[in-house]
Amino acid sequence: MANMISILGSTGSIGRQTLDVVEQLGLKVAAITAHSSVERVEEQARRFSPRLAVMTDEAAARDLAVRLADTPVRVLGGLSALEEAATVPEADTVVTAVVGMVGLRPTLAAIRAGKRIALANKETLVCGGELVMNEAERCGAEIVPVDSEHSAIFQCLQGCADRREIRRLILTCSGGPFFGMSREEVGKMTKADALKHPNWTMGPKITVDCATLMNKGLEVIEAMRLYRLPLEQVDVVIHRQSIVHSLVEYRDGAVLAQLGTPDMRLPIRYAMTYPNRAESPAEPLDLLHCPPLTFAAPDRETFTCLALAEDAAREGGTACAILNGANEEAVGLFLQDRIGFHDIARLVRRAREEVAVTAAPTLEDILEADQAARQSVLR
Ligand code: NDP
Ligand code: MG
């Protein structure tokens, strides 16, 4: 069970919900970080009295230092300060809730410092999966997933001592706001349409990823890395109600699922209390009044991002870092209204065709592949 935590990305959707859980469980906060949301960080710093507050935007850090001058909170600026927040000696657990592969270096730093990782930042595992998992094994650092599907699988795997007993993992997918539409209809959808997720309220990048189904593709790769399974053992089913959070099928045919209301505080809480559980104020699941639970196959022809991610997963090496870097840039362009919905997949595919894949990559290879993919999208 966590006692004192650092939160990388404390002002985001996951970061704020983590602080709710912190209050409910009476945990302490050692460090918080954000990019530029100064007012929110100031308010959080006054409420939770961390030892360290980091703004990755340097100007925001200077502003925060002035605002917090009457407090003992230390303020640091810049990307490298994320590593400082990830390794604060007092913290036993680091919640990685920044968006994007900027989370990779601080996650590695936290692992090397022997912290337990509550991992929300999926881009980190997608880009640096093998590296992160090998380093965690070497340092004896525990990685507990926060992503709801991976938390569900993690819960269904409790008591499974031998991974060979797993036949397959089944990730559920809400289908996003454009489920059931034709490819032509989807092509006309705007940023505002993509930002309306049916079941979850999340940051803008992951919300767009849910609309393209890239999120599910990233989650397939995340599951392969976390549980060290090949692509053939990770399936996706559409489940519109987001009540069954994912399933594990064992080799004797038994299928275990984890169910609950769609509330991220549930997996966050479990990552904090694991291997125990704690009382929660969350609304209990009312099976008699929840909608009928339905399951369907994903439409990989309309939502080609899922197939692109599976391709990258199959190829391995830096292919996933290229996929992710290109996707981060393309989603950024879509959020600035500079490209259309289907252009996201088109630009990711182009980057995958243009950037050569390196097998068994080092951290430098991964960072280079990420940069090359971004440049391919932006040219
Ligand atoms: P948000 O966009 O809501 O929050 C992102 C956080 O990261 C904010 O604190 C933000 O600071 C900070 N940040 C943004 N850009 C940078 C940067 N360049 N450098 C450092 N910090 C930065 O994202 P979410 O909370 O939705 O998602 C966070 C991660 O968790 C993602 O990887 C996502 O895939 C994953 N996740 C999220 C879920 C959800 O329900 N939201 C569910 C499962 C996984 P600032 O406020 O200053 O911009
Ligand atoms: Mg998820």
Side-chain angles (χ1 to χ4, degrees), residues 333 347 350-351 354 373-379:
L333 294 177
L347 291 170
R350 189 176 77 183
E354 285 181 359
R374 289 171 194 271
Q375 277 156 21
S376 157
V377 168
L378 293 177
R379 77 169 162 74

Side-chain angles (χ1 to χ4, degrees), residues 220-221 224 229-235 309-311 313-314:
V220 166
I221 301 167
M224 289 167 62
L229 290 170
L231 181 64
E232 296 67 41
Q233 280 177 274
V234 184
D235 278 354
E310 288 168 335
D311 264 3
R314 213 171 278 118

Side-chain angles (χ1 to χ4, degrees), residues 122 146-150 172 200 202 206 210 215-216 219 222 264:
K122 64 189 80 184
V146 165
D147 209 348
S148 59
E149 296 77 2
H150 305 76
T172 53
W200 303 95
M202 306 175 287
I206 183 173
C210 286
N215 182 54
K216 210 48 55 178
E219 290 185 355
E222 186 185 5
M264 281 309 295

